[in-house]
């Protein structure tokens, strides 16, 4: 037995050149983008189709609310716009998170944006449905614009915001 070592330390695999479990863990995870490109068939086209349908429903909801339509679809579609517009903009900013965390954070952020707009409009005594729709659309647009500017082609890596 080696001097000063207990019997467990003498038999430890790392003493004889084996890697410990912590040394074998990798930090590289498989990218989900590569999975998307490999997929074929109808399920590959479903995500863009659903995204397009969501944009259409949200746009129709905002339009129906702005023109003060008497349609029974105005309420649900406008409510969908009020949650989907900021949620999708925030989700675009959080591309690095895992899917569950991204959904949870973007939905919570959408509720926060909607509540801050309502609170601000009530505080200045300027509450209106049209103003709320426009304010949420502008805030969502600014968040989306920040993502677009950050990923604009032609920018060097030193210019990108971290």
């Amino acid at each position: 037995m080696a001097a000063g070592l207990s019997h467990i330390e003498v038999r430890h695999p790392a003493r004889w050149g084996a890697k410990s479990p912590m040394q074998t863990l990798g930090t590289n995870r498989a990218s989900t983008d590569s999975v998307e490109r490999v997929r074929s068939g109808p399920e590959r086209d479903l995500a863009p189709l659903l995204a397009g349908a969501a944009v259409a429903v949200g746009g129709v909801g905002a339009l129906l609310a702005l023109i003060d339509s008497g349609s029974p679809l105005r309420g649900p579609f406008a409510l969908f716009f009020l949650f989907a517009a900021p949620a999708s903009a925030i989700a675009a900013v959080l591309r690095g998170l895992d899917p569950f965390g991204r959904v949870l954070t973007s939905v919570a952020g959408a509720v926060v944006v909607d509540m801050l707009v309502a609170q601000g409009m009530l505080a200045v005594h300027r509450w209106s449905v049209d103003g709320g729709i426009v304010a949420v659309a502008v805030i969502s647009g600014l968040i989306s614009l920040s993502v677009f500017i950050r990923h604009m082609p032609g920018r060097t890596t030193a210019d990108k915001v971290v």
Side-chain angles (χ1 to χ4, degrees):
M1 193 183 278
L5 296 178
S6 68
H7 66 86
I8 291 178
E9 293 171 326
V10 171
R11 294 184 315 178
H12 194 276
R15 182 163 162 79
W16 309 109
K19 287 188 175 183
S20 72
M22 292 303 291
Q23 291 174 326
T24 59
L25 291 178
T27 57
N28 295 335
R29 293 188 303 180
S31 174
T32 56
D33 295 337
S34 62
V35 174
E36 281 294 319
R37 281 185 250 131
V38 172
R39 246 191 263 170
S40 63
E43 66 271 3
R44 185 175 136 204
D45 298 330
L46 188 60
L49 180 67
L50 290 176
V55 168
V57 168
V60 167
L63 184 66
L64 289 174
L66 289 175
I67 64 172
D68 202 24
S69 171
S71 171
L73 296 176
R74 180 182 78 178
F77 283 13
L79 190 61
F80 180 79
F81 170 78
L82 287 173
F83 285 111
S88 61
I90 292 169
V93 171
L94 302 174
R95 284 184 4 177
L97 286 180
D98 64 306
F100 180 71
R102 190 173 173 187
V103 167
L104 188 66
T105 306
S106 63
V107 168
V111 170
V112 167
V113 167
D114 290 338
M115 292 301 141
L116 286 175
V117 166
Q119 181 80 22
M121 291 176 73
L122 288 172
V124 296
H125 304 288
R126 296 286 182 209
W127 173 254
S128 72
V129 174
D130 296 345
I133 296 281
V134 169
V136 168
V138 166
I139 291 171
S140 300
L142 289 174
I143 294 170
S144 297
L145 184 64
S146 72
V147 173
F148 175 73
I149 289 173
R150 184 173 58 183
H151 296 293
M152 191 181 325
R155 294 186 66 190
T156 62
T157 55
D159 292 342
K160 289 187 179 178
V161 177
V162 175

